[in-house]
Amino acid sequence: MHAAVHDSVSVVFEPDLLCSYLRERDIEASRFDSSRTDEYDLVVSFHPDETFFDVPWVHGVRAGYDEFPVERYAEEGVTFTNSTGIHGTTIGETVAGMMLSFARRLHVYRDHQGRGEWAREPYEAPFTLDGERLCVVGLGTLGQGIARRAAGLGMEVVGVRRSTDPVPGVDRVYHTEDLHDAIADARFVALAVPLTEATEGLFGPEEFDGMREDAYLLNVARGGVVEQDALVSALESGALAGAGLDVFDPEPLPESSPLWGMEEVIVTPHVGAMTNRYHADVGDLVVENVERTEREEELVNRIV
Ligand code: NDP
């Protein structure tokens, strides 16, 4: 088995780190070279590339695969696997951090620090997460990672999915048809759905009007799940208290976006899942699937 690591993974880790990690596990691995595709059994990549059609198996290093041409892969007999399952802890901690910051006002004090200001927030501003309600929209790896940490902080956790099957750590599961009921009483709403036809623009003016005025939106899914202009309007008009945003449409967020300058908005540049062991988490998935291939078993995370 020869795995090629495409340069585009450098968005999340140094390609040589994964090559070394795989070699230590007895898998032949090298940097991808488009003139050598006939030598590869597998290419590991962040972005798709036309040359991948010459390789039997493509592994995407992200959970979201909206960018990859999976229907064409299916037609041309290319296997595609993704990296869902590895981001529950990182994203769970990122969302917990954003909520803690909003409640304990850390983002405001950090801004003050930058100006050398010893200034207190008004009495009514700080609150505790304990007892506050979080609604998690999408209850897969990300959603469950967020829910577990929020429950540990004493929050009441509800969630939304396409069925109402229970999820550990989630007090009540709503069907997507009841999204508006689910978000109506929540202090925080966290988005953790894939970007699909059904979720594109899922949050727009109607949803923001249906949320509490003291509510915070947390988007760690994809920018396209939210109508960004409507979000800006909701924040400017006071229909929402604030937002923690890791993903945007477009990315990078343009310098001219009003979101940059809003005190009650935390902007992170699509790094909510970053960790210094990302290459190892992806490597473990690849090793697992290489071993499964050798045992002629079904691959994990196989999309097509
Ligand atoms: P999973 O497949 O584990 O979970 C997605 C969940 O969303 C599924 O459990 C599904 O549950 C639910 N879902 C799908 N459609 C809907 C819908 N219309 N309404 C409500 N729920 C829905 O994926 P992950 O949790 O690993 O990742 C989710 C997405 O988050 C990725 O696709 C990616 O876009 C984004 N992501 C962002 C990262 C970042 O860096 N910010 C990092 C990792 C992922 P059910 O079948 O029960 O409906």
Side-chain angles (χ1 to χ4, degrees), residues 12 61-66 82-88 90-91 94 136-145 160-165 167 173-177 179 191-200 202 219-223 225 246-247 251 268 270-274 278:
V12 281
V61 298
R62 302 203 279 176
Y65 54 89
D66 38 281
N82 76 346
S83 295
T84 194
I86 65 170
H87 309 105
T90 48
I91 290 282
T94 296
V136 185
V137 184
L139 289 167
T141 303
L142 261 55
Q144 292 184 37
V160 180
R161 64 184 303 186
R162 291 171 299 183
S163 74
T164 50
D165 293 346
V167 175
V173 177
Y174 292 77
H175 189 269
T176 34
E177 282 174 8
L179 174 72
L191 306 183
V193 285
L195 179 62
T196 63
E197 274 177 25
T199 62
E200 191 171 358
L202 188 65
N219 189 7
V220 285
R222 284 287 181 269
V225 175
D246 187 49
V247 288
E251 289 183 9
T268 52
H270 204 144
V271 291
M274 285 302 94
Y278 202 109

Side-chain angles (χ1 to χ4, degrees), residues 22-152:
L22 294 176
R23 277 190 226 116
E24 281 163 21
R25 278 147 193 82
D26 299 326
I27 294 171
E28 188 182 354
S30 55
R31 303 281 287 257
F32 181 83
D33 174 345
S34 60
S35 67
R36 295 176 57 198
T37 49
D38 54 333
E39 296 170 34
Y40 305 141
D41 300 292
L42 158 68
V43 55
V44 181
S45 190
F46 185 91
H47 291 305
D49 189 275
E50 275 303 304
T51 56
F52 296 171
F53 286 97
D54 300 330
V55 183
W57 169 16
V58 178
H59 179 84
V61 298
R62 302 203 279 176
Y65 54 89
D66 38 281
E67 199 190 341
F68 282 85
V70 288
E71 281 171 23
R72 279 183 62 206
Y73 288 156
E75 282 160 21
E76 307 217 7
V78 175
T79 297
F80 179 79
T81 48
N82 76 346
S83 295
T84 194
I86 65 170
H87 309 105
T89 303
T90 48
I91 290 282
E93 291 189 5
T94 296
V95 170
M98 285 175 168
M99 292 193 295
L100 284 164
S101 187
F102 287 127
R104 308 307 309 147
R105 319 303 298 149
L106 303 180
H107 58 303
V108 176
Y109 292 119
R110 183 70 201 199
D111 287 350
H112 289 180
Q113 186 181 337
R115 298 190 293 267
E117 260 174 38
W118 181 274
R120 279 185 162 195
E121 278 277 90
Y123 180 74
E124 60 280 5
F127 60 101
T128 62
L129 295 184
D130 190 47
E132 292 288 353
R133 178 184 277 211
L134 163 70
C135 176
V136 185
V137 184
L139 289 167
T141 303
L142 261 55
Q144 292 184 37
I146 296 166
R148 235 181 86 204
R149 280 150 190 91

Side-chain angles (χ1 to χ4, degrees), residues 281-300:
D281 292 341
V282 168
D284 289 343
L285 268 179
V286 171
V287 171
E288 161 87 23
N289 270 338
V290 167
E291 288 172 358
R292 281 170 176 259
T293 305
E294 284 161 3
R295 295 195 299 265
E296 295 184 0
E297 288 173 10
E298 192 62 34
L299 301 182
V300 290

